[in-house]
Each structure stands twice: as structure tokens, then as C-alpha cells.
Amino acid sequence: MASVACIGECMVELRQAQGGASAGQGGGLYSRGFGGDTLNTAVYLARLEVKVDYLTALGDDGLSDEMIAAWNAEGVGTRRVVRLAGKLPGLYMIQLDAKGERQFFHWRDSAAARQLMSLPETDEILNSLMSYDVVYLSAITLSIYDASGRDRLFAAIKRARLLGTRFVFDTNFRARGWPDRDVAREVFAAAFVIADIVLTSTEDLLALFPGESRDQLMARIPSPELVFRLAEPVSLLRFPGATHEVRAEPMTKPVVDTTAAGDSFAAAYIAARLAGSDPVEAAQAGHRLASLVICYPGAIIPGYAMPPKKRHRPAASRQATK
């Protein structure tokens, strides 16, 4: 069975409860959960029957224990989670507007996950990347490490690629996580050069390269396989020998919360490619799952809401995403 390593950070999530706003107070009730972009993708990959491990660092506190239990319950592997004494996970809060668009507030500067690239266990974790068919991480993942940590991670990915591991980079960009945009541009460029598949969007790239055209933005990415999501529910695909446009099917339910739309798209796309689908079919699967996810509050939708499983053409391990 093909396997995926998702690298990143999971945080405690505080989400506004429906109908929880207090009149005249600007506040309200919040429900507590867990979330993080690559963790969300890992959960959806597991639900799509992909073998997936989550690579991160957590504390030795009760909240971290709950995270481990929740991931195990979802089928996400936790054997490569490092536990750090005296540390805690980060925390973020989501506020939604009337259209379901979200705003995030983070408390994560001292979170355990930020130390993953500078621990005694780091070499073992990085060497393990060679055992996976796909390594998936996002720009948010890269933003939590310092320059030295990013260099170690990129070097390990390059070594793993020599043995057939594919690197999927998601450009999920949050300006607050970077010291400045010049640093972010340099890191993005380094990731683009070694990525086998890039998942990106106009929202992410225009924040870094304002005023550039669609063609200019796509030309910045030399990766052999590119999924470029537009502001409307459309993806432009570029892969060897072809370019293609994939439109999402019209929504039949109201949008409740756009959290994890991109994360779930990534999971469905990777799962479909690993199962033998071509990029067009994979993007269609990504749009289908994302369209479901945004109809529910929070990053992870109820299990019963997942789409019916679709059988794909069988594909050999380490070859499906090439």
C-alpha cells in the first residue's frame, strides 16, 4: 500500500459555536477541537484509505494526549510524533463572517512543533522520509522552522526523492508566519525547484507576487505537475504533455465554513493520484471533497458526510504520482 508522510503542526482549535454570539458583547461561545492544515490533510487521506503518518512534535500534556488519541482513532499514524517534556501545542481561534469566510488568530510562538527540526530525534525522522511514497507539507509547515531547519528538511527530501519518494508542496501562505515576504519568496522558490507536485492558488501567489498575471504566476513554478486553483471554483492543471481546466460542480448546499477547503482538496488529489487516476480525475476528486467540507463547520467534517468511496485504477507503489 502506498504511504504518505504529512509534516506540520496541529493546534488546539477554538471555533465560534453556531448561534453563540452574545448580544452586544461581540463575543460568544466557542467549541474546542484540533486542527492544522497538514493534519487536516492527513485525516482526510486516512478517511480515503491512504496509509498516512503525521510527523510533528507535541508536548507531554493532556491536550497533546487527546490529539494522539484522536489521530489514532482516525487512522492517522503517530509513530513519528515526538513528545517534548514541558511543552504545549499551539492554539488558534476561528471567527467567521456571514458568508462563512474565516479569520484566524494564533498563539503558537512556543509550540512544541516548532522544534521538530532541531531535536535529538530529528535525523531519524528525516531519514524515515525515504520509506514513504509521498512527502506532503505546506508553506505553513516551512514557516514554523528557522532557516537551518528548512535546509535540513529540504536536504532530506532531496535524498528521499533519489529513491523514488515524491514531494508534494502546498503553498498555503499566511503572511503572519513569515518575518517578511522576501524570505517567503526565497523559501517558495526553493520548494518549487524540488517539488514533484505543487498545489497552489491565486490567493496564495498574489499575496507574494502582487499584480502578476496568471501566466506569470504559473511560470514561476517549474514543477512537472501543477494544480493552480483560481478564485472561482476552477483549477488549471499543467502536467507533462498537457494543460487542462477543471471546474467544480455547482454547489447544492449553502457554504457554512471554508476552513480546510484546500486541505481536503489536497488529500483527495493525492489519494486519487496514488490510486492511479490522472491529474484531471484527481482534481475532480479534490473539488468534490472540498465542496462537501465547506458545507460543515470546522476543519474536519463528520465521518458520515464523507463522499462514497470511488474505485480507481490500481497503481504500483512509488509510481502513481510520477
Side-chain angles (χ1 to χ4, degrees):
M1 178 185 290
S3 59
V4 178
C6 290
I7 309 173
E9 177 183 19
C10 181
M11 293 174 283
V12 178
E13 176 190 271
L14 297 180
R15 183 179 70 247
Q16 278 184 315
Q18 291 182 317
S22 301
Q25 296 183 8
L29 299 176
Y30 284 78
S31 61
R32 193 195 77 187
F34 303 117
D37 63 338
T38 55
L39 185 278
N40 300 335
T41 299
V43 170
Y44 286 116
L45 280 168
R47 290 184 176 186
L48 293 169
E49 300 183 340
V50 174
K51 183 179 180 182
V52 56
D53 287 337
Y54 197 58
L55 282 58
T56 192
L58 289 175
D60 58 353
D61 58 292
L63 290 172
S64 296
D65 290 341
E66 289 183 27
M67 286 185 183
I68 293 287
W71 303 348
N72 285 330
E74 286 282 1
V76 175
T78 59
R79 57 183 174 149
R80 307 206 191 278
V81 177
V82 181
R83 306 295 297 272
L84 303 180
K87 300 297 290 186
L88 294 168
L91 179 148
Y92 71 99
M93 182 173 67
I94 304 173
Q95 287 188 332
L96 302 175
D97 64 20
K99 296 181 180 180
E101 291 298 328
R102 72 277 192 215
Q103 185 176 11
F104 293 92
F105 302 88
H106 293 84
W107 294 265
R108 67 196 300 194
D109 289 346
S110 60
R114 302 179 75 90
Q115 298 184 21
L116 186 63
M117 292 298 123
S118 58
L119 299 172
E121 299 89 348
T122 299
D123 284 342
E124 179 181 354
I125 289 172
L126 293 178
N127 288 335
S128 77
L129 299 184
M130 293 182 285
S131 67
Y132 295 93
D133 296 281
V134 169
V135 172
Y136 170 80
L137 56 85
S138 73
I140 292 179
T141 303
L142 296 174
S143 73
I144 69 174
Y145 308 135
D146 61 17
S148 174
R150 288 191 290 264
D151 288 345
R152 291 183 74 180
L153 178 55
F154 282 151
I157 291 172
K158 291 175 183 178
R159 293 194 299 271
R161 292 181 72 242
L162 293 175
L163 296 179
T165 299
R166 304 289 86 188
F167 172 37
V168 181
F169 176 55
D170 193 323
T171 63
N172 202 359
F173 176 68
R174 297 292 182 268
R176 72 180 69 86
W178 298 91
D180 58 61
R181 280 174 166 76
D182 287 338
V183 172
R185 292 184 189 105
E186 292 176 4
V187 174
F188 272 53
F192 290 156
V193 168
I194 62 174
D196 298 283
I197 301 174
V198 171
L199 306 175
T200 190
S201 68
T202 52
E203 179 183 8
D204 289 339
L205 293 188
L206 284 176
L208 284 175
F209 308 103
E212 291 198 359
S213 69
R214 179 189 306 169
D215 290 341
Q216 287 174 315
L217 294 173
M218 294 179 71
R220 288 184 173 276
I221 304 174
S223 307
E225 187 168 327
L226 171 63
V227 182
F228 190 90
R229 299 188 303 276
L230 306 183
E232 61 268 29
V234 177
S235 293
L236 302 181
L237 308 182
R238 187 189 71 205
F239 48 95
T243 58
H244 207 283
E245 179 181 288
V246 176
R247 289 187 171 271
E249 297 178 1
M251 295 289 297
T252 59
K253 296 180 180 180
V255 174
V256 174
D257 182 354
T258 59
T259 304
D263 308 334
S264 56
F265 182 102
Y269 188 91
I270 293 169
R273 293 292 281 125
L274 284 171
S277 293
D278 64 34
V280 173
E281 294 170 323
Q284 291 169 341
H287 281 300
R288 281 195 299 271
L289 182 54
S291 295
L292 279 175
V293 168
I294 62 178
C295 295
Y296 293 84
I300 306 298
I301 65 175
Y304 63 78
M306 290 291 293
K309 294 181 176 62
K310 180 181 178 181
R311 295 300 175 188
H312 304 269
R313 298 186 303 273
S317 176
R318 290 188 181 271
Q319 299 297 318
T321 59
K322 293 186 178 179

